[in-house]
Amino acid sequence: MTDRPLFSDALVHLGRGVQANGRPVNLPISQGSTMLFNSLAEFEAARDARHQHGTLYYGRYGTPASFELEAAMTALEGGAGCVSVSAGLTAVTLALMGAARSGDHLLVADNVYMPTRNFCDNVLARYGVEVTYFDSMQDISPLLQSNTSAVMFEAPGSGTFEVPDIRAISATARAHGALAIIDGTWATPIFCRPLSLGADVVVHSGSKYIGGHADSMIGFIVCNEATYPRMRQMALAFGDKPGSQDVFLSLRGLRTLEMRMKAAESSGLQVARWLAEQPQVLKVLHPAFPECPGHDTWKRDFEGSAGLFSIVVRDCSTDRLHAFVDALDLFGIGVSWGGFESLILPVRPLRTATRWDEAGHLVRLNIGFENPDSLCADLARALPLLD
Ligand SMILES: *Cc1c(COP(=O)(O)O)cnc(C)c1O
């Protein structure tokens, strides 16, 4: 597969396995713990190769469908291998555990997904791994230490959407002998393929756009040649695996991923541009907007924008903020994103390496597949409640 795969073909055909005639279009759900062998010799061969992708040995090590899904994600990202895990957060935590040993130091971007920070502060710290948070828009060279084993960041940053320079961070990390691990959930491989920009590992929450229907939880660790064996070994040693129904739903989600991403991009931009004109909106934080920090990097390295962005609304009482959010009919209130439904949530960014001092409330929106004109009309009705 080239650097820019033909997603329209790949998404339809990858990961459906080779079967006999009279086969269903979709691979059936692979439900299985024990796998049976015709002879003890065949069992022993499978046991010896159980850490290898594709070896059917015991359900925890992989099933026909999970192997197909991992191969599809590997091809879409242009990687050497992928391990599927039970959630996006598991992909983050296992990738960090695969990268760091006790006594190591990690550089973690200040604007990562909050549970990633929680894992660093409350779990890794207990195992003797030191973490320094960094401003993802700055040169990391001065922060690298002799024991820095990985740099973890997100493109764009969670909640605030700054777009870091994946190439520069990855190159600096590599020159230092540290791994560049990137959370690529927002862009999906449709809009960005970080391994081709020099990253070593890309993690995804497949619970977002890949599943795409707010009904499954899964994560992926997609690796280059050098990191794949240790990441696979870490995930298998940990005993983690995705549920078989979630594997099925992810394979199904891939079939429409490109179309859904393009629809999310177009509706997202329409709503974001409309919001930018409203008197209650001080700022739109969206990588496709020229004011967004890292917009030029986004233009160079990404092929589109997802339907998730934030706005800063005029400072007001908490009561008014609640009144605005509660008055919306078409926007659900809840965490996560990337499903077919629009969502809204005020968010409070925690920053320790940088400062977040916007003079207003930060509100994150996931634009779903309702008619964008209806979404704007819904917002137009509710925004005056902030005044
Ligand atoms: C949601 C999210 C995760 C965690 O994924 P889950 O599947 O919910 O565990 C990780 N990273 C980012 C950027 C996310 O938005």
Side-chain angles (χ1 to χ4, degrees), residues 87-90 92 113 116 154 158 183 185 205-208 217-218 336-337:
L89 182 58
T90 322
V92 171
Y113 181 60
T116 300
E154 248 167 70
S158 267
D183 185 327
T185 302
S205 166
S207 324
K208 310 287 167 59
M217 301 224 53
I218 197 165
S336 200
W337 45 275

